[in-house]
């Protein structure tokens, strides 16, 4: 056996904190590594020691093999746990650790290499008797050949980065017409994420479930499966909600898939924790997708139903011990869900969000939840800053129940009790997913979100209190922006010897309120505010209703809205671009507001410029200045938090000039280009 007393965690965020929690429980000293952007991060604060790796960019810090190994030497760390992402599936890193005499908490480099090349992995799986999806996994990467293979397989097909994972370099191609553009985009993402442009093509099953099996092997030839997880609910091929065990799984199918997964692991001489991912078709047939040679993000749901600590298993196997349990000693108890909380805006095509977390808390006692049934794995705390440099996942909310219905009820109560303020998140979207009738009925497949888009993104019924609070905050903000010693310089509705009157347009759908025609849209509500002096209450006219209204700011983002003498406490916050976030019993209502005169004069500006929707990096310019384009045509590509986002033409016309080049970093709201609409 090879013991060690100090563990370096070569990662950040929630997984670094989670690994260190188990390491401390086992009596190990913990070492964190960090970039300049993470100097005050939670994983740094919680470690016994911490070592700086370099600047914020991952390539200059967390991906620097030499710097990580030097940090281990400086701190006397006998082993390194890679977490997931970054160096977790990097074979040369494992080889370098072996040469340095440092234990890698994970599989041998040969196993990583065997599964890291997706094409070669398919051949190994066929040899092991593991079912495969029809596709092309060859070395010839000529564009014409790939297109011909896709045509032969039949659309839709799935393009996947051969060296990839985590949804990077992966796109569904619905028809031959879109193949080349999808191929180019996948190659860019794959090159940026993995330094490798090779692609493989698979038949895209139209209603499959994503079911994966947790496997574990030791150095003594033992291998077990710790049952399965259903990860079908995804956006952009990245998981959002996971559960264990998979609904509708029979004992026979569970055993068949589990044994196939163990065969896959043993075929490549695997050691440690790994996950074999399958597509499960409606008829019960299943097909190998890939194997993730590391601990998965969703491992806690397996821990919940088995009562096992998988990180402890990893560390013990790394020390040379045998697996703690044999296959017949493993059992399933109850049901578990995991919801991934991302700093992103589901209403804006899941754009990543950045900023300061003013508040981040889960009030279990107030929600009447059992602390033994609810777990929050987080890498952030109140006051932390969410940067543009890394994955937007903030935390994982994991729950357990006696059965699926009970676990789902607990998940919904826990999501409602999760208080996140200061950064836009997908919390309300997770609530809509978890309460969706189809999800509750186990009608699952990998296109769940796309299939139910109409209901998941349906316009919410906005209360009068929400409209009033949004209008009052908007009116107060306008008054603050327009303060002046002279009434002649004010633009807040001031009129000599007359009440102040301001008209606002509000909507909850993300409607483009910079357009002159927006107030005429069905989803836009016009609010008129009038008052005699600053000390008087506002008289708000919302549609056909007129109310006397006051707004009082309480602690944090809490406000009191009084309408015709009826006082109600709400959570409300003024955000970027005039967005107000309201917390109410039904979840989260977000209202966009603009002053009417700003709308009336904003059309030329909106059509002549295109601004960055988030902080990020320019990846590619897709057209030349002066080139004629049609509305919706892609103009440029940005990358933020490891994902690409395409900026499209707002109308027919041409790009007069670009303000940035490929490789430039831009901030949210920066003007990216000058656009000339067609006359």
């Amino acid at each position: 056996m090879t013991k060690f007393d100090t563990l370096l965690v070569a990662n950040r965020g929630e997984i670094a904190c989670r690994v260190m929690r188990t390491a401390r429980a086992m009596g190990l000293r913990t070492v964190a590594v960090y970039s300049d952007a993470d100097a005050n991060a939670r994983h740094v604060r919680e470690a016994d020691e911490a070592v700086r790796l370099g600047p914020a960019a991952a390539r200059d810090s967390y991906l620097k093999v030499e710097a990580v190994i030097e940090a281990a030497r400086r701190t006397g760390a006998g082993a390194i746990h890679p977490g997931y992402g970054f160096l977790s599936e990097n074979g040369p890193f494992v080889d370098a650790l072996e040469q340095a005499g440092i234990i890698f908490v994970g599989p041998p480099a040969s196993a990583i290499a065997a599964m890291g090349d997706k094409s070669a992995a398919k051949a190994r799986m066929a040899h092991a008797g593991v079912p495969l999806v029809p596709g092309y996994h060859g070395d010839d990467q000529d564009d014409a050949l790939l297109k011909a293979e896709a045509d032969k397989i039949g659309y839709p097909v799935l393009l996947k980065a051969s060296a990839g994972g985590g949804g990077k370099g992966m796109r569904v191609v619905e028809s031959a017409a879109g193949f080349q553009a999808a191929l180019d985009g996948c190659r860019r993402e794959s090159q940026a994420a993995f330094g490798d442009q090779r692609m493989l093509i698979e038949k895209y099953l139209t209603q499959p479930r994503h079911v994966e099996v947790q496997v574990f092997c030791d150095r003594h030839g033992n291998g077990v499966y710790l049952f399965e997880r259903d990860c079908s609910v995804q956006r952009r091929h990245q998981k959002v909600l996971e559960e264990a065990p998979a609904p509708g799984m029979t004992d026979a199918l569970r055993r068949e898939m589990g044994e196939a997964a163990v065969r896959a692991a043993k075929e490549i001489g695997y050691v440690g924790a790994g996950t074999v991912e399958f597509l499960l078709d409606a008829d019960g047939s299943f097909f190998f997708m890939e194997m993730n040679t590391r601990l998965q993000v969703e491992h806690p749901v397996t821990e919940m139903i088995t009562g096992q600590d998988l990180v402890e298993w990893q560390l013990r196997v790394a020390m040379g011990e045998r697996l703690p349990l044999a296959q017949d000693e493993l059992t399933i108890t109850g049901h578990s869900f995991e919801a991934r909380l991302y700093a992103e805006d589901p209403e804006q095509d899941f754009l990543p969000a950045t900023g300061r977390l003013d508040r981040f808390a889960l009030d279990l006692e107030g929600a009447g939840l059992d602390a033994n049934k609810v777990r929050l794995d987080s890498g952030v705390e109140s006051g932390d800053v969410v940067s543009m440099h890394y994955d937007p996942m903030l935390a994982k909310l994991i729950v357990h129940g006696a059965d699926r219905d009970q676990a789902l009820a607990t998940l919904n109560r826990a999501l409602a009790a999760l208080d996140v303020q200061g950064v836009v998140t997908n919390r309300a979207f997770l609530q809509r997913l978890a309460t969706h009738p189809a999800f509750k009925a186990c009608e699952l497949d990998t296109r769940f979100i796309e299939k139910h888009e109409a209901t998941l993104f349906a316009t919410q019924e906005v209360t009068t209190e929400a409209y009033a609070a949004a209008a009052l905050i908007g009116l107060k903000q306008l008054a603050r922006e327009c303060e002046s010693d002279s009434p002649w310089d004010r633009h807040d509705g001031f009129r000599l010897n007359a009440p102040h009157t301001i008209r606002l347009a509000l909507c909850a759908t993300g409607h483009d309120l910079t357009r002159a025609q927006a107030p005429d849209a069905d989803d836009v509500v016009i609010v008129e505010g009038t008052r005699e002096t600053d000390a008087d209450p506002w008289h708000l006219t919302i549609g056909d209703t007129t109310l006397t209204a006051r707004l009082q700011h309480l602690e944090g983002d809490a406000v009191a809205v009084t309408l015709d003498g009826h006082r109600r406490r709400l959570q409300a916050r003024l955000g970027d671009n005039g967005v107000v976030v309201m917390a109410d019993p039904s979840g989260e209502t977000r209202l966009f507001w603009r002053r009417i005169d700003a709308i009336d004069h904003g059309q030329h500006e909106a059509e002549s410029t295109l601004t960055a929707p988030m902080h990020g990096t320019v990846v590619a310019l897709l057209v030349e200045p002066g080139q004629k384009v049609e509305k919706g045509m892609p103009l440029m590509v940005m990358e933020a938090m490891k994902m690409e986002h395409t900026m499209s033409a707002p109308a027919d016309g041409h790009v007069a000039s670009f303000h940035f080049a490929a490789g430039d970093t831009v901030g949210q709201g920066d003007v990216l280009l000058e656009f000339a609409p067609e006359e």
Side-chain angles (χ1 to χ4, degrees):
M1 287 189 187
T2 307
K3 295 289 186 180
F4 49 85
D5 57 16
T6 301
L7 177 71
L8 184 147
V9 183
N11 217 297
R12 62 178 302 280
E14 68 84 17
I15 187 58
C17 296
R18 186 266 170 276
V19 170
M20 287 191 286
R21 183 170 67 245
T22 290
R24 286 193 299 270
M26 294 176 65
L28 301 176
R29 292 179 62 256
T30 58
V31 178
V33 289
Y34 63 92
S35 70
D36 289 343
D38 281 340
N40 298 310
R42 181 177 177 180
H43 76 282
V44 175
R45 299 193 297 266
E46 291 188 356
D48 295 313
E49 293 184 61
V51 179
R52 176 185 178 273
L53 294 177
R59 64 178 178 274
D60 298 323
S61 52
Y62 294 105
L63 292 173
K64 288 181 68 176
V65 171
E66 300 82 1
V68 172
I69 292 176
E70 178 57 27
R73 288 196 182 103
R74 287 176 60 185
T75 57
I80 290 180
H81 194 300
Y84 49 73
F86 292 141
L87 297 171
S88 62
E89 295 178 282
N90 186 307
F93 175 59
V94 180
D95 288 333
L97 289 184
E98 185 176 355
Q99 293 176 10
I102 300 170
I103 295 172
F104 177 69
V105 183
S110 58
I112 294 176
M115 286 298 180
D117 185 324
K118 299 297 186 292
S119 298
K122 301 287 185 179
R124 296 289 295 270
M125 294 304 97
H127 181 264
V130 180
L132 299 177
V133 177
Y136 174 74
H137 316 117
D139 293 329
D140 191 336
Q141 294 289 301
D142 178 74
D143 285 15
L145 175 70
L146 293 178
K147 170 68 164 49
E149 290 292 339
D151 293 344
K152 186 190 305 180
I153 294 167
Y155 297 92
V157 298
L158 182 65
L159 273 173
K160 296 174 66 174
S162 184
K168 311 301 186 301
M170 181 187 300
R171 298 187 187 185
V172 177
V173 186
E174 299 286 355
S175 67
F179 183 83
Q180 190 61 49
L183 178 62
D184 293 342
C186 283
R187 280 178 168 161
R188 281 195 303 269
E189 285 187 7
S190 182
Q191 181 65 37
F194 314 112
D196 189 325
Q197 292 191 1
R198 291 173 302 147
M199 291 286 126
L200 57 83
I201 309 171
E202 293 179 347
K203 178 65 179 175
Y204 187 69
L205 304 179
T206 55
Q207 286 189 306
R209 288 168 59 188
H210 181 138
V211 176
E212 60 188 29
V213 177
Q214 177 71 61
V215 296
F216 234 106
C217 300
D218 61 24
R219 301 182 190 279
H220 306 280
N222 302 307
V224 299
Y225 60 92
L226 289 89
F227 313 113
E228 78 288 340
R229 304 180 283 255
D230 192 302
C231 309
S232 299
V233 180
Q234 306 175 7
R235 58 102 175 98
R236 291 177 174 171
H237 304 290
Q238 290 189 313
K239 302 158 190 172
V240 179
L241 281 176
E242 300 103 345
E243 60 183 298
M249 183 69 66
T250 65
D251 290 341
L253 183 55
R254 173 174 292 126
R255 182 170 56 254
E256 187 179 357
M257 292 181 73
E259 290 175 353
V262 173
R263 286 200 307 275
K266 290 189 173 183
E267 169 71 19
I268 60 171
Y270 200 79
V271 174
T275 299
V276 181
E277 301 191 341
F278 295 103
L279 288 175
L280 177 62
D281 216 349
D283 62 2
S285 58
F286 61 93
F287 306 96
F288 173 84
M289 272 201 303
E290 62 184 4
M291 181 177 185
N292 288 300
T293 53
R294 53 171 168 78
L295 194 68
Q296 289 282 83
V297 176
E298 58 273 18
H299 76 273
V301 293
T302 296
E303 294 183 321
M304 284 288 205
I305 65 166
T306 61
Q308 304 302 312
D309 184 330
L310 298 190
V311 173
E312 181 177 348
W313 277 44
Q314 283 187 297
L315 296 175
R316 295 198 179 282
V317 167
M319 292 178 180
E321 296 182 18
R322 294 178 178 274
L323 293 179
L325 297 174
Q327 190 66 61
D328 60 2
E329 296 176 301
L330 290 164
T331 57
I332 295 175
T333 302
H335 202 93
S336 179
F337 285 97
E338 174 182 282
R340 300 191 188 190
L341 184 73
Y342 286 99
E344 65 182 13
D345 189 348
E347 308 300 331
Q348 301 296 316
D349 195 27
F350 297 99
L351 279 176
T354 59
R356 183 180 184 273
L357 279 168
D358 297 327
R359 181 168 172 76
F360 187 84
L362 177 60
D363 183 8
L364 294 176
E365 184 177 356
L369 293 167
D370 184 347
N372 295 317
K373 300 295 184 182
V374 181
R375 167 176 158 184
L376 184 65
D377 283 12
S378 167
V380 295
E381 295 176 319
S382 297
D384 285 349
V385 174
V386 181
S387 81
M388 60 170 276
H389 299 288
Y390 312 114
D391 188 273
M393 191 173 72
L394 301 177
K396 304 178 308 196
L397 183 63
I398 308 106
V399 302
H400 184 266
D403 54 31
R404 190 176 190 270
D405 289 344
Q406 188 183 103
L408 194 54
T410 300
L411 176 64
N412 285 310
R413 289 170 61 194
L415 282 168
L418 187 59
D419 185 4
V420 186
Q421 300 176 32
V423 175
V424 176
T425 73
N426 65 333
R427 184 188 65 83
F429 179 71
L430 291 171
Q431 286 183 288
R432 294 197 294 273
L433 278 172
T435 56
H436 195 281
F439 185 78
K440 294 170 71 174
C442 301
E443 297 171 5
L444 306 174
D445 65 65
T446 55
R447 304 188 74 177
F448 183 90
I449 292 176
E450 299 166 64
K451 184 182 298 184
H452 300 288
E453 183 176 1
T455 49
L456 288 172
F457 295 94
T459 302
Q460 298 169 294
E461 183 177 347
V462 183
T463 63
T464 300
E465 289 85 356
Y467 278 127
L472 290 169
I473 290 176
L475 293 168
K476 183 172 183 178
Q477 178 68 9
L478 285 172
R480 182 183 298 116
E481 292 173 353
C482 300
E483 286 177 355
S484 170
D485 293 335
S486 170
W488 310 111
D489 293 332
R490 295 175 64 170
H491 306 283
D492 61 348
F494 173 83
R495 297 291 184 274
L496 189 64
N497 298 321
H500 301 185
T501 299
I502 298 178
R503 297 179 72 230
L504 298 175
L506 295 167
C507 75
T509 63
H511 193 108
D512 186 358
L513 288 177
T514 62
R515 302 288 181 181
Q517 67 269 25
D520 299 328
D522 293 337
D523 55 358
V524 174
V525 171
I526 304 301
V527 179
E528 183 174 280
T530 302
R531 66 178 177 180
E532 296 290 338
T533 69
D534 291 349
D536 291 322
W538 286 95
H539 296 283
L540 295 183
T541 300
I542 305 173
D544 298 328
T545 303
T546 300
L547 304 163
T548 300
R550 288 185 181 276
L551 177 76
Q552 179 186 3
H553 283 276
L554 306 175
E555 73 281 355
D557 285 341
V559 297
V561 176
T562 303
L563 302 177
D564 286 349
H566 184 181
R567 185 178 185 274
R568 184 178 176 190
R569 180 188 175 99
L570 301 167
Q571 295 287 328
R573 178 179 63 85
L574 180 67
D576 296 334
N577 303 319
V579 179
V580 176
V581 180
M582 303 290 301
D584 64 26
S586 63
E588 196 173 77
T589 302
R590 302 182 56 221
L591 288 169
F592 294 67
W593 62 266
R594 284 284 179 131
R595 185 175 170 178
I596 292 295
D597 60 3
I599 297 170
D600 293 340
H601 296 93
Q603 185 173 11
H604 174 72
E605 177 184 358
E607 292 187 348
S608 63
T609 62
L610 198 66
T611 58
M614 73 287 186
H615 299 284
T617 303
V618 176
V619 174
L621 306 182
L622 305 179
V623 299
E624 297 290 335
Q627 177 182 337
K628 186 176 180 179
V629 299
E630 297 179 352
K631 182 179 180 180
M633 182 175 174
L635 303 179
M636 63 188 299
V637 180
M638 285 183 60
E639 185 272 338
M641 295 181 172
K642 302 182 182 179
M643 297 300 292
E644 284 193 358
H645 304 273
T646 301
M647 310 294 127
S648 302
D652 293 348
H654 69 271
V655 175
S657 62
F658 286 102
H659 289 228
F660 297 92
D664 289 348
T665 299
V666 300
Q668 184 175 2
D670 285 353
V671 177
L672 299 173
L673 57 86
E674 300 297 329
F675 186 81
E678 193 172 73
E679 296 295 337

